Amino acid sequence: MNRKIFWLLTVLILVSAYLAEAEQSAKIHRIGFLSGAFPSPSHWTTRLRKQLRELGYVEGKNIAVESRFSENRLDRLPAFADELVRLKVDIIVAGGRNDTRAAKNATKTIPIVGQSLLDPVADGLLDSLARPGGNVTGFTPIADVLVGKRMELLKETVANLFRVTLLWNPQDPGSTRQWKESQMAARELGLQLHSMEVGSADKFEASFKEAIKARSAALATTSSVFVNAHQKRIADLAAKNRLPAIYHQASFVADGGLMSYGADETEHYRRVAAMVDKILKGAKPADLPVEQPKKFERTILAQLRANPGPKDPQLPDQ
């Protein structure tokens, strides 16, 4: 092979590599967002979009987003999941357990990232946190563990605290697990626990009256779809009944709740975005361990008033 042919082949290889890279960078990745909640300016999809932009994903340039919101109607989730599959999205980012299950039932091949999975193994969404298997992975806020920490913070905040009410939904497996965990935490802290079992909105008023009758001096809530859907009403009733309350995320405080303790939300969405980035670059969900929070934040009402956030808080789905 003479030198001219050698250099020609070299140039052709370099040009081919450049064109392949240019084609890859110009590709429009289609991302499907599936949520059981109402859309709002502060919904998790908005926060995740922001983190994706920081990674270089710009809508209309290298990604296209298809969002589907069922507006608290769980029966609509399967149809929306099927619709995203028909649109041939490259990845589905789902809210919590119900959204992720609907997506998983709709496809066994399209990668799925659940951005707030309370207990994905127990819920049958994946094989294990370390090796998910299948096409689902995501982020877990370790809600079962944090319910005890929130009770500890209540005891530190409320003088002479003896009896605490825990609001939970017996129809929700994740909420039920947190209720069981809270009983152990209460015993260790020397607290008596009053069970506020609420599965429908018409039970709130009576349940709060029962808590006051039981001489509860504070309130904690579990993380669940039902609780999230009624955060403003819960915060208002806690204030009306003069029950100091601690919640699992800061948006409750934005609605008038006393304080919250949970995973740092900025870190949460940054890590979910990083997971989406890895999958779009070729990683398989089966090989990506479920992420867990490393940073936590405590928000109190006075702090939030000094540093006001969005006026229309929206909770992540469960």
Side-chain angles (χ1 to χ4, degrees):
M1 181 185 298
N2 62 42
R3 295 182 64 181
K4 287 185 178 180
I5 296 176
F6 172 79
W7 285 113
L8 179 60
L9 289 174
T10 301
V11 170
L12 287 174
I13 292 172
L14 291 173
V15 169
S16 298
Y18 172 80
L19 291 175
E21 184 178 348
E23 181 181 358
Q24 179 66 24
S25 63
K27 179 182 178 181
I28 302 293
H29 296 284
R30 305 193 75 182
I31 301 176
F33 285 138
L34 182 63
S35 168
F38 284 86
S40 83
S42 57
H43 189 266
W44 64 261
T45 55
T46 303
R47 288 178 263 182
L48 186 54
R49 275 181 162 104
K50 178 181 178 182
Q51 295 300 325
L52 287 171
R53 282 196 298 272
E54 293 189 5
L55 291 175
Y57 291 99
V58 180
E59 291 182 51
K61 181 179 179 181
N62 53 9
I63 61 168
V65 174
E66 295 286 348
S67 300
R68 297 295 182 272
F69 299 91
S70 74
E71 300 180 346
N72 289 342
R73 287 186 53 186
L74 299 183
D75 59 305
R76 300 174 67 187
L77 285 171
F80 284 149
D82 289 338
E83 189 174 338
L84 291 175
V85 173
R86 288 196 300 272
L87 290 170
K88 298 181 179 180
V89 295
D90 296 298
I91 186 172
I92 296 175
V93 184
R97 178 183 64 252
N98 296 320
D99 314 326
T100 305
R101 180 177 289 115
K104 183 178 180 180
N105 290 340
T107 177
K108 304 301 181 187
T109 56
I110 297 174
I112 299 166
V113 174
Q115 69 85 28
S116 186
L117 303 176
L118 296 185
D119 195 340
V121 177
D123 291 331
L125 296 172
L126 41 83
D127 296 336
S128 71
L129 298 183
R131 297 190 64 82
N135 63 324
V136 179
T137 187
F139 186 96
T140 176
I142 57 172
D144 295 6
V145 177
L146 295 182
V147 68
K149 178 63 177 178
R150 284 192 283 272
M151 285 195 175
E152 181 182 336
L153 290 172
L154 267 181
K155 187 173 182 178
E156 293 175 359
T157 304
V158 181
N160 302 315
L161 182 62
F162 178 68
R163 185 175 287 110
V164 176
T165 286
L166 185 77
L167 170 57
W168 64 290
N169 179 10
Q171 301 168 17
D172 184 321
S175 186
T176 301
R177 288 191 294 270
Q178 292 169 65
W179 160 246
K180 292 178 180 177
E181 185 70 26
S182 71
Q183 295 177 67
M184 293 185 287
R187 283 195 297 269
E188 292 175 359
L189 292 167
L191 296 172
Q192 286 191 1
L193 198 59
H194 173 74
S195 173
M196 185 188 286
E197 303 175 42
V198 183
S200 60
D202 60 342
K203 303 293 185 183
F204 278 121
E205 291 279 355
S207 295
F208 270 88
K209 288 180 180 178
E210 289 176 8
I212 297 302
K213 187 177 180 180
R215 297 186 178 180
S216 285
L219 171 75
T221 63
T222 60
S223 174
S224 75
V225 175
F226 177 76
V227 172
N228 293 349
H230 298 283
Q231 68 169 32
K232 182 66 168 67
R233 189 172 184 189
I234 293 169
D236 287 346
L237 282 169
K240 177 182 176 182
N241 289 279
R242 297 186 178 181
L243 274 178
I246 188 167
Y247 306 95
H248 56 282
Q249 49 197 24
S251 50
F252 278 83
V253 183
D255 270 337
L258 174 63
M259 61 181 174
S260 67
Y261 181 81
D264 181 282
E265 292 188 358
T266 300
E267 181 214 21
H268 178 150
Y269 294 109
R270 183 183 298 119
R271 293 171 68 185
V272 173
M275 189 173 288
V276 171
D277 176 49
K278 290 177 183 178
I279 291 174
L280 291 178
K281 290 177 177 176
K284 303 297 183 184
D287 301 325
L288 292 177
V290 172
E291 297 274 356
Q292 299 183 30
K294 296 179 180 178
K295 296 180 180 180
F296 302 91
E297 60 181 357
R298 181 182 182 183
T299 304
I300 60 176
L301 186 59
Q303 172 188 340
L304 197 64
R305 285 175 174 169
N307 301 282
K311 294 182 179 180
D312 182 22
Q314 179 68 38
L315 293 133
D317 315 312
Q318 304 294 342

